[in-house]
Amino acid sequence: MKLLDFDKNYPTEDSCIMRFKEMRIKSGVVCPHCGHTEHLWFPTSMHFECKNCHHRQSLRSGTIMHSSKLPFMYWFKAIHLMTSTKKTFSALEIQRQLGHKRYQPIWEMCHKIRSIMGQRDSEYTLSGMIELDEGFFSTERDDDHNIPLKRGRGSQKKSKVLVMIESQKVENPKNPEKPKSVNHLKMIVIPDLKAKTINSIAQMSIEQDAIIDTDASTSYTDFENYFAKHNASVISPQEISKALPWVHIAISNAKTLLSDMYHGVKREFLQSYLDEFCYKLNRIRIPLDPFDRLLVVTAKYKSDFNHIPYRQDKIDNCVNCG
Ligand SMILES: [Zn+2]
């Protein structure tokens, strides 16, 4: 949505409240006590009352704004900023745009928005032809700094990410350098490269009738038991961009996005940033307005971000504003 359209559609707090109420009714208000779906609306106190058991729930209850005290307008503006560009906004930048005094609630709001993006995407599984590989993302070390730093992929400053992407071969491609077309992708932070870990995540993320292309790593040896076909090829580093093109383009783009925006990403928040990256990329070809689409999700999902405690040292430092 363009900025002028946003300002026209949502000029006041009341206009945001009305739109959010509309979204909640559209997604179906369910009584948490008796499961009844018919409710009365009380505009002054902004709550729904179950027609069956008279249980009351607030407009924010069970949504992304559950227990939030921030104005609806803040949420709408943050969602607008985060969906208006392929890039991302740091919490500090959004705090500045909103002119809010405290950083913590804005930081939490941004992570809650990313959290529902991840929840929404986790409902889908990948199918067809899949490229799968691991990416190694630079993150700040969170172990004992007295322990010597390991080099390479096993370094404490590298986080492992399993990357899976639907990649279909194209008949007579216009660009011979790009013989495959890309569709949906998933990026999931993994604790290790053990076959057991990778098997479990791949099974949760990919349909059984999929055909998986990977390199010849021993982490993937069980795939032939779980999927229709597994093509494991010995791939030299020079050939990797041809053999698994999209998975490596996705890894490279995600790394660029993160390094352009943040000085250092904390390991525990890497998944959150990758969720935002994947959510946007997975919808890039859908003609619906990204703001409206995400607004539907915010009314339907309660964020699972609450359990992560905020600490001052967890600030995601924007490269532009500190
Ligand atoms: Zn009820």
Side-chain angles (χ1 to χ4, degrees):
M1 187 182 294
K2 288 177 184 147
L3 185 57
L4 285 177
D5 292 332
F6 179 85
D7 288 342
K8 200 167 85 185
N9 292 341
Y10 305 108
T12 60
E13 176 73 357
D14 278 350
S15 59
C16 298
I17 291 169
M18 283 303 104
R19 178 72 170 143
F20 196 70
K21 182 198 140 205
E22 200 184 297
M23 285 290 127
R24 271 215 72 184
I25 291 171
K26 211 172 169 183
S27 67
V29 182
V30 180
C31 174
H33 273 209
C34 71
H36 199 69
T37 51
E38 286 182 34
H39 290 76
L40 294 169
W41 167 247
F42 292 84
T44 315
S45 51
M46 287 202 296
H47 74 263
F48 294 102
E49 185 180 298
C50 173
K51 281 188 180 177
N52 183 45
C53 72
H54 304 290
H55 174 77
R56 291 178 172 195
Q57 57 176 306
S58 75
L59 179 55
R60 298 175 191 250
S61 177
T63 73
I64 193 172
M65 298 187 208
H66 192 93
S67 74
S68 166
K69 290 184 174 61
L70 293 176
F72 284 80
M73 177 74 95
Y74 275 27
W75 286 91
F76 273 50
K77 285 198 168 165
I79 292 165
H80 170 64
L81 289 172
M82 288 172 78
T83 55
S84 61
T85 160
K86 271 191 272 180
K87 299 206 168 188
T88 185
F89 277 83
S90 71
L92 272 169
E93 182 57 29
I94 291 181
Q95 181 194 11
R96 200 154 66 168
Q97 296 276 343
L98 293 172
H100 192 67
K101 232 179 185 179
R102 291 178 60 225
Y103 176 78
Q104 180 182 344
I106 305 299
W107 174 84
E108 283 182 0
M109 175 173 69
C110 293
H111 275 302
K112 283 180 179 179
I113 293 171
R114 295 186 185 105
S115 145
I116 60 154
M117 289 173 167
Q119 283 184 60
R120 183 74 182 126
D121 269 356
S122 70
E123 290 181 357
Y124 301 111
T125 43
L126 304 177
S127 59
M129 306 277 294
I130 310 286
E131 291 178 30
L132 183 147
D133 205 355
E134 298 113 17
F136 297 85
F137 284 71
S138 297
T139 44
E140 293 185 356
R141 54 185 302 194
D142 51 8
D143 62 335
D144 183 351
H145 283 227
N146 294 320
I147 298 171
L149 192 64
K150 292 181 206 162
R151 289 182 173 206
R153 294 178 161 197
S155 164
Q156 299 94 318
K157 291 177 91 173
K158 293 278 179 200
S159 289
K160 303 160 192 77
V161 177
L162 190 65
V163 183
M164 298 155 276
I165 188 160
E166 291 172 343
S167 168
Q168 201 68 37
K169 278 198 175 113
V170 180
E171 296 287 330
N172 306 316
K174 281 182 193 165
N175 181 353
E177 292 292 310
K178 290 184 177 172
K180 290 174 160 185
S181 68
V182 63
N183 207 350
H184 294 98
L185 90 153
K186 286 179 184 278
M187 290 183 159
I188 299 176
V189 179
I190 49 177
D192 54 60
L193 301 177
K194 290 175 187 164
K196 195 180 164 192
T197 307
I198 291 177
N199 286 342
S200 143
I201 291 172
Q203 280 183 285
M204 275 194 293
S205 310
I206 303 171
E207 296 286 333
Q208 285 180 357
D209 58 2
I211 298 168
I212 322 269
D213 289 341
T214 67
D215 62 27
S217 161
T218 51
S219 301
Y220 312 137
T221 46
D222 299 332
F223 277 10
E224 60 182 35
N225 302 325
Y226 303 132
F227 303 107
K229 197 173 177 195
H230 175 213
N231 302 316
S233 318
V234 177
I235 307 168
S236 69
Q238 294 78 23
E239 291 293 309
I240 199 92
S241 61
K242 278 188 184 166
L244 301 169
W246 287 111
V247 85
H248 285 278
I249 289 172
I251 291 169
S252 162
N253 288 351
K255 283 182 179 175
T256 305
L257 188 80
L258 291 176
S259 64
D260 280 354
M261 185 52 67
Y262 304 112
H263 283 305
V265 171
K266 281 79 181 169
R267 190 188 294 265
E268 65 188 298
F269 301 127
L270 176 61
Q271 186 65 59
S272 182
Y273 298 119
L274 294 177
D275 284 345
E276 183 185 356
F277 174 79
C278 291
Y279 178 89
K280 288 181 181 178
L281 209 71
N282 284 337
R283 284 153 186 85
I284 213 159
R285 277 169 240 88
I286 303 174
L288 293 170
D289 184 87
F291 173 84
D292 287 333
R293 202 167 43 233
L294 187 57
L295 203 58
V296 176
V297 184
T298 61
K300 219 172 178 178
Y301 292 76
K302 188 175 160 187
S303 161
D304 55 8
F305 190 72
N306 296 322
H307 66 282
I308 299 177
Y310 169 81
R311 296 202 308 269
Q312 190 59 37
D313 64 329
K314 293 300 173 197
I315 288 178
D316 43 355
N317 292 320
C318 170
V319 292
N320 297 319
C321 56

